Amino acid sequence: MAKPHPVLLDVDTGGDDALALLLAMASPTLDVRGITCVAGNCALEQVVTNTLTLLDAIEAPPVPVAAGMDRPVLEPGLPAPPLHGGDGMGDLGLGAPRRSRVDDHAVEFLRRTLSDAEEPMTMICLAPLSNIAMLLRMYPSVGEKIERLYVMGGTYAAPGNTTPAAEFNVRYDPEAASIVLNSGLPVTLYPLDPFMQVRFTKEEAEAMTEAKGAGARIAGGIALHYCRFFGMDFSLIGDAGTVATVIDPEGATTVSRPVHVDLSTGTSRGATVFDRRILTDGFVREGEWTEVDVVTRVDASRYRKLMASALGADEALDD
Ligand code: RIB
Ligand code: CA
């Protein structure tokens, strides 16, 4: 087997960030070298607590966890969305964390970790991009040690979720998203289009809560929380789909397209506008545009199986 691929995760844990962390920590193909926290789904301190608690609950190795930006680079931030529950992670009652964060601010932690890395590292960004934008603005040279940024954010052809035009991670900190997407670094964007595809049924989630592994039980509990919150008989795996794309890129369909982040203060603020025109020569394109790789769809069945298998819960799946 090939050596596990070193990765850094930036999260706003968040129930679906927790699903992503469970997959990343369980996957034999990834070597999680650090987790940085940022305000988004809930306040920064709650994000840090949820991340530490989750790692304790699965008896994870001592992976460093650093706290970062407690608000966007420019605005005061949006209210925490209610869908993740009172504690932001599905109210599973996992108790207080035993382990602690590192003292460094997330930006310093990332600078040092990337600077010291022997090889460029992959970053998996599942949250508002405030930490990553500050890192790139304060220490531009670290870009040489970033192999690729996999970013959960934006929409390609799908509607927004936080507003009709914008997806939550980008809308929460549009300026940060613009800085990162226009950085010129290799970016694979995982927008709401594939994000909405990969789901577990309520029955599968219930079966997972009976599984042997703590990770599977927690994943089932989070999925059931979302089923209850939305009154649906399924739950998305959300951010975990982004991690699946890193683990198994063959399961994702990707195109390269110029993208622009709308920084206006109007109703489309935080929209990710893709230039999908075939003929563009001689046509106008105002503002800042950068070509990124964007996942337009994924093999949902393949990624469901990948996640269930990583958590040792293959038998929980109906298909
Ligand atoms: O819009 C979905 C994204 O916003 C996910 O990353 C979710 O965790 C929230 O951060
Ligand atoms: Ca997230």
Side-chain angles (χ1 to χ4, degrees), residues 154-160 164 191-194 272 274 276 294-296:
T155 62
Y156 184 64
L192 284 179
D193 307 65
T272 48
F274 283 90
R276 294 181 280 154
V294 50
V295 178
T296 54

Side-chain angles (χ1 to χ4, degrees), residues 12 16-17 41 126 152 161 167-169 192 195 239:
D12 60 335
D16 66 315
D17 299 72
N41 282 324
L126 305 174
M152 191 282 129
N161 55 4
E167 175 277 327
F168 178 81
N169 287 337
L192 284 179
F195 183 97
D239 284 332

Side-chain angles (χ1 to χ4, degrees), residues 22 26 57-59 207-221 308 310-315:
L22 290 170
I58 59 171
E59 297 176 1
M208 288 178 122
T209 60
E210 306 294 323
K212 277 201 303 293
R217 292 197 299 275
I218 292 169
L311 297 177
D314 295 283
E315 73 291 341

Side-chain angles (χ1 to χ4, degrees), residues 25-305:
M25 298 304 293
S27 171
T29 61
L30 300 183
D31 172 10
V32 179
R33 298 283 183 84
I35 302 168
T36 48
C37 299
V38 67
N41 282 324
C42 38
L44 175 65
E45 284 312 311
Q46 188 66 55
V47 172
V48 175
T49 297
N50 289 343
T51 303
L52 296 170
T53 298
L54 184 78
L55 294 172
D56 280 344
I58 59 171
E59 297 176 1
V63 60
V65 174
M69 297 286 281
D70 66 359
R71 72 199 67 193
V73 296
L74 196 60
E75 292 179 318
L78 301 173
L83 67 129
H84 300 289
D87 70 358
M89 194 165 66
D91 296 320
L92 302 182
L94 296 179
R98 294 181 299 279
R99 67 179 72 195
S100 305
R101 80 187 76 171
V102 299
D103 293 337
D104 274 345
H105 185 283
V107 172
E108 286 307 321
F109 169 77
L110 289 172
R111 179 200 59 77
R112 181 165 40 76
T113 305
L114 289 165
S115 304
D116 295 349
E118 284 158 25
E119 298 292 325
M121 296 180 75
T122 293
M123 299 187 75
I124 305 174
C125 309
L126 305 174
L129 290 161
S130 318
N131 285 341
I132 313 304
M134 291 298 286
L135 173 71
L136 297 180
R137 277 285 191 266
M138 289 169 65
Y139 306 106
S141 62
V142 295
E144 295 156 25
K145 300 301 280 292
I146 297 175
E147 181 184 38
R148 178 167 285 267
L149 295 150
Y150 288 83
V151 175
M152 191 282 129
T155 62
Y156 184 64
N161 55 4
T162 293
T163 73
E167 175 277 327
F168 178 81
N169 287 337
V170 177
R171 177 58 192 84
Y172 190 92
D173 196 342
E175 281 71 25
S178 186
I179 288 168
V180 175
L181 297 187
N182 289 303
S183 65
L185 295 175
V187 168
T188 296
L189 197 66
Y190 187 88
L192 284 179
D193 307 65
F195 183 97
M196 302 303 286
Q197 274 188 268
V198 195
R199 47 184 71 173
F200 288 134
T201 66
K202 187 174 177 186
E203 290 70 27
E204 290 170 335
E206 281 161 351
M208 288 178 122
T209 60
E210 306 294 323
K212 277 201 303 293
R217 292 197 299 275
I218 292 169
I222 291 172
L224 283 177
H225 164 80
Y226 288 132
C227 290
R228 283 191 297 271
F229 180 86
F230 289 108
M232 309 286 268
D233 60 0
F234 68 86
S235 162
L236 304 178
I237 71 166
D239 284 332
T242 316
V243 174
T245 300
V246 181
I247 294 169
D248 179 17
E250 294 303 305
T253 301
T254 305
V255 295
S256 289
R257 287 281 184 278
V259 66
H260 169 78
V261 179
D262 186 326
L263 300 180
S264 68
T265 53
T267 54
S268 60
R269 176 163 173 77
T272 48
V273 183
F274 283 90
D275 191 343
R276 294 181 280 154
R277 295 174 296 178
I278 304 300
L279 296 173
T280 55
D281 288 352
F283 288 86
V284 171
R285 200 155 70 191
E286 294 162 338
E288 201 169 6
W289 295 76
T290 300
E291 185 142 321
V292 298
D293 295 329
V294 50
V295 178
T296 54
R297 59 177 294 99
V298 294
D299 180 338
S301 172
R302 185 174 170 139
Y303 282 0
R304 281 164 33 85
K305 291 191 177 93

